[in-house]
Amino acid sequence: MGVLVASDLDRTLIYSERAMALGVPDRLAPRLLCVELYQGRPLSFMTERAAGLLAELAREACFVPATTRTPEQYGRVNLPGPTPDWVPAYAICANGGQLLVDGVPDGDWRAEITGRIAAGSAPLEEVVRRLALCADPEWTHKRRVADELFAYLVVERAALPEGWLADLTGWCAERGWAVSQQGRKVYTVPAPLTKSAALAEVVRRSGADTVLAAGDSLLDADLLLAADAGWRPGHGELADSGWTAPGVTALAEVGVTAGEEIVRRFLAGATALPVGV
């Protein structure tokens, strides 16, 4: 029993150089901590203050990363915790398709979600074929399949034809799939593949009685709706669309400072401290 905190990672808690949106003179910028390396280069960051708050939060609550990243991509992220070798007891990867328990993928959950997808959505191969036909190479940098669960494109966002995203969204909806655009990536995801489904399983296993959550994209909306209280930053798909819901607070902060404010809100909720502490 206790508090469980489930949070999206990219553009919610951790930020690439492109997404940091500091918006202040260099001399006033917060100190940053690198939390991800890729091919030996720093890729994702938190403020040092956010890192300290997250380590404290992990002592007070069950902290559950909830990401669209595959387990391999998630494995590059080194989140600060209460001990140097800390690993979250649970992590939700592949948008809910993988549940990691002490860092190890849970086979029972993978079998369960695979069955739900087969019963409720068109096959992955059908969507992959559609993307191959409709994604013009002139503005498509990459086409990828993630963990044999969903597919995504890396695109030149400004070059997307008018109406293309809406057309793809409608086509996918007819086949039990959802579409989400996050920065330069366009995700196509089977409807049963959700972070909230995996979250419900973590709540069942952990016995948590209070759930807090945060996220910035449409793929995080169900996660926020499943929580007792949630927060979204002032950037991202949810902010751009004006999405809100009871119990969800829309923050004014954007970029890496929003990540710090989210962890501060988490810690306040988990410990009943005033938000300003």
Side-chain angles (χ1 to χ4, degrees):
M1 303 292 286
V3 178
L4 186 153
V5 176
S7 181
D8 175 49
L9 293 181
D10 294 279
R11 294 172 60 87
T12 298
L13 284 193
I14 68 175
Y15 291 81
S16 67
E17 181 180 355
R18 184 192 298 265
M20 281 195 287
L22 291 172
V24 295
D26 291 346
R27 62 184 178 82
L28 299 178
R31 289 171 57 123
L32 300 171
L33 176 70
C34 177
V35 294
E36 180 186 14
L37 295 175
Y38 181 57
Q39 297 180 345
R41 296 183 177 181
L43 187 62
S44 297
F45 303 83
M46 305 175 72
T47 68
E48 286 191 350
R49 178 60 175 159
L53 291 170
L54 181 58
E56 186 175 350
L57 174 66
R59 296 186 187 98
E60 301 289 342
C62 178
F63 177 74
V64 181
T67 178
T68 307
R69 288 174 177 239
T70 65
E72 180 182 5
Q73 293 167 333
Y74 166 71
R76 300 195 304 254
V77 180
N78 186 9
L79 292 172
T83 62
D85 58 350
W86 174 74
V87 174
Y90 299 98
I92 296 166
C93 293
N95 208 61
Q98 294 274 21
L99 177 59
L100 275 55
V101 181
D102 295 326
V104 179
D106 186 276
D108 290 340
W109 175 251
R110 178 59 183 252
E112 169 68 23
I113 199 64
T114 299
R116 295 186 194 181
I117 293 170
S121 300
L124 171 65
E125 293 76 12
E126 184 176 344
V127 177
V128 170
R129 286 195 299 270
R130 176 69 177 189
L131 292 176
L133 291 172
C134 73
D136 193 318
E138 289 192 3
W139 43 261
T140 303
H141 298 299
K142 297 177 184 177
R143 289 189 286 118
R144 293 287 187 268
V145 171
D147 214 10
E148 298 302 318
L149 288 168
F150 61 93
Y152 66 93
L153 305 173
V154 179
V155 301
E156 194 65 43
R157 184 165 181 162
L160 287 178
E162 184 176 354
W164 178 86
L165 190 64
D167 289 344
L168 178 63
T169 300
W171 184 92
C172 284
E174 293 172 358
R175 291 157 178 82
W177 283 65
V179 175
S180 173
Q181 183 176 11
Q182 301 177 39
R184 297 189 304 147
K185 293 182 178 178
V186 177
Y187 291 92
T188 55
V189 179
L193 184 67
T194 63
K195 294 179 181 181
S196 61
L199 173 63
E201 179 66 10
V202 175
V203 170
R204 184 187 71 80
R205 296 189 189 192
S206 66
D209 53 15
T210 301
V211 177
L212 310 178
D216 71 295
S217 80
L218 291 176
L219 293 177
D220 296 316
D222 65 286
L223 183 73
L224 293 170
L225 292 172
D228 296 292
W231 293 268
R232 67 161 175 82
H235 61 259
E237 275 186 313
L238 296 179
D240 291 346
S241 65
W243 184 91
T244 188
V248 177
T249 300
L251 299 176
E253 292 85 356
V254 299
V256 71
T257 56
E260 180 177 316
E261 180 62 20
I262 286 168
V263 185
R264 185 177 289 109
R265 299 291 182 110
F266 280 155
L267 185 59
T271 60
L273 292 172
V275 170
V277 172

